[in-house]
Amino acid sequence: MDIQQLSSDHRTQAGREPEGVWFAPGRVNLIGEHTDYNDGFVLPFALEKKAVVAVSRRDDGVVSMRSEELDEQVDVAIADLEPGTEGWSSYLAGVVWALRQSGQEVSGVTITLTSDVPLGAGLSSSAAIECAVVAALCDVFGLDIDPMERARVAQLAENAYVGAPTGLLDQAASTLCREDFGLFLDCRSFETAQVPLPMAEAGLEILVLDTKTPHSHVDGEYGARRRTCEEAAAILGVPALRDVTDLDAALAQLPDETMRKRVRHVVTENSRTVEAYEVARSGSLRDLGPLLDASHASMRDDYEITVPTVDLAVAVAREAGALGARMTGGGFGGCIIALCEAGSGDGIGQRVSEAYAAAGYGAPQWFIATPAPGAGRLR
């Protein structure tokens, strides 16, 4: 990622030097899928892949946005910012809108964006963009907003401006994560705990493999599952599925098998996430493997959010020696993660690639993930 080129392009776009350069990372969710909007628990960590923005103020009331990768520029007057606007620029403009909706004084600004977070892979490329812009605008306009509130601003941009009904997991991870740690987040109280993930010390590594099956949270499937969970909670008389303590009794009260399956996933995934937190705290990182396996089976069979490319990648990774593997992200494509013996991740990725070729699928891409820091200033 060429920060010098980004700054040079910003000068061309804005007619002045950027006031700084900020970043926010993508994230991978170690475990805890579709639990966030059910007031549950999640355990993500930030990636070294990140969105980077160069930013400067302007005095004409315009938000000027440029994507380096797309070689596109979009200019919109602040007065014309309107939720529901489509396209890549909505993730940047939405942050300006969300800050103003929150009572912050934000005026015209030029934003030049570059990102190496894969799009549509379940690694929160959108949250990385939003959180980088939040970090930049807080510094540029001198806004005193604490880290968790910054994550909420980014979430407001995604929910209300872009129109994607995501929980807070992605933005919290992109903002609050620390290098070499995972972030255990209680999505009801917003309390957090930093969880050491010394994979190298344990002789382990985490493979992240992009199946190259694009997905989108703005489609109907994600929203449908969220609505089903809300309906089930209402039937059960609890504020959220996080409050279900007797799973068997709860399932017996629900009217149809689909709703029962959705509830079973959320309740058991919450339990797995809490167990993963305890396992990581104890230093027994190898014991995460069976939890990853069980999480994938639950997403496949009960939440029904996996697809054939994802299921094949998980199966082959396990056959090739991974200690555990699962889909990560909102589903219907995207990435898998696999807990591997140190030095074996690339070979497992190659085995998945060979299986894809034999099945007639396109080639996947993969990398070894190292827990990275959350949003901040680069220069």
Side-chain angles (χ1 to χ4, degrees):
M1 186 172 290
D2 191 338
I3 304 304
Q4 290 295 114
Q5 185 62 51
L6 180 71
S7 297
S8 174
D9 290 345
H10 183 90
R11 287 194 296 272
T12 300
Q13 177 187 354
R16 56 171 294 185
E17 291 286 338
E19 295 180 48
V21 177
W22 291 262
F23 79 96
R27 67 96 186 101
V28 67
N29 198 23
L30 184 64
I31 197 165
E33 225 63 77
H34 289 266
T35 51
D36 55 345
Y37 54 80
N38 288 290
D39 283 3
F41 305 98
V42 293
L43 183 49
F45 62 87
L47 298 171
E48 293 176 309
K49 295 181 180 296
K50 55 189 175 291
V52 179
V53 292
V55 176
S56 61
R57 284 167 286 187
R58 51 193 299 147
D59 58 11
D60 60 359
V62 168
V63 181
S64 177
M65 300 160 285
R66 176 176 173 77
S67 165
E68 297 284 88
E69 282 68 40
L70 298 177
D71 191 23
E72 293 179 5
Q73 181 170 323
V74 175
D75 294 350
V76 58
I78 284 182
D80 295 334
L81 293 177
E82 183 176 350
T85 304
E86 296 183 354
W88 64 268
S89 64
S90 64
Y91 296 98
L92 292 80
V95 171
V96 176
W97 176 87
L99 282 167
R100 289 171 63 85
Q101 288 292 115
S102 302
Q104 303 294 336
E105 294 187 8
V106 177
S107 55
V109 65
T110 298
I111 305 171
T112 312
L113 165 71
T114 186
S115 177
D116 63 0
V117 184
L119 298 176
L123 301 179
S124 297
S125 56
S126 59
I129 293 169
E130 293 154 358
C131 292
V133 176
V134 170
L137 297 185
C138 283
D139 283 357
V140 166
F141 291 101
L143 308 180
D144 184 15
I145 304 176
D146 68 47
M148 185 58 78
E149 188 58 33
R150 291 184 183 199
R152 290 193 186 99
V153 167
Q155 182 196 18
L156 178 62
E158 180 119 2
N159 290 173
Y161 196 89
V162 177
T166 60
L168 190 61
L169 183 162
D170 299 347
Q171 293 82 7
S174 189
T175 302
L176 294 163
C177 278
R178 288 168 48 188
E179 187 174 3
D180 294 326
F181 284 80
L183 181 76
F184 182 71
L185 171 64
D186 181 331
C187 295
R188 170 170 288 168
S189 68
F190 301 112
E191 293 179 354
T192 62
Q194 298 288 342
V195 185
L197 293 176
M199 292 294 168
E201 291 180 21
L204 302 170
E205 62 189 20
I206 296 177
L207 169 71
V208 179
L209 183 140
D210 184 357
T211 67
K212 307 303 287 184
T213 311
H215 75 161
S216 172
H217 282 172
V218 190
D219 62 19
E221 295 289 351
Y222 185 101
R225 277 155 183 76
R226 184 166 186 165
R227 287 190 299 275
T228 297
C229 290
E230 291 167 351
E231 291 167 4
I235 291 170
L236 297 172
V238 294
L241 294 183
R242 177 244 184 85
D243 299 295
V244 173
T245 55
D246 186 334
L247 179 57
D248 289 339
L251 296 180
Q253 296 179 58
L254 298 175
D256 63 80
E257 181 61 16
T258 295
M259 184 175 286
R260 286 190 285 271
K261 291 165 68 174
R262 304 298 185 252
V263 170
R264 183 165 52 231
H265 166 74
V266 172
V267 174
T268 59
E269 185 79 347
N270 262 329
S271 296
R272 284 187 288 269
T273 305
V274 172
E275 186 175 351
Y277 167 61
E278 298 294 346
V279 164
R281 286 182 63 202
S282 74
S284 303
L285 296 180
R286 290 175 181 273
D287 292 337
L288 292 170
L291 296 172
L292 302 185
D293 289 341
S295 174
H296 185 78
S298 182
M299 289 186 289
R300 182 192 63 215
D301 300 335
D302 282 342
Y303 226 59
E304 298 179 291
I305 54 173
T306 69
V307 292
T309 50
V310 166
D311 291 333
L312 178 62
V314 166
V316 172
R318 291 292 282 115
E319 292 167 4
L323 302 177
R326 73 177 198 92
M327 186 194 72
T328 184
F332 309 102
C335 289
I336 72 156
I337 58 171
L339 183 67
C340 308
E341 301 286 357
S344 70
D346 281 330
I348 291 172
Q350 185 59 45
R351 287 280 297 276
V352 174
S353 183
E354 292 167 1
Y356 269 36
Y361 296 146
Q365 294 181 339
W366 64 88
F367 60 93
I368 304 303
T370 301
R377 186 167 188 159
L378 289 175
R379 53 181 290 188

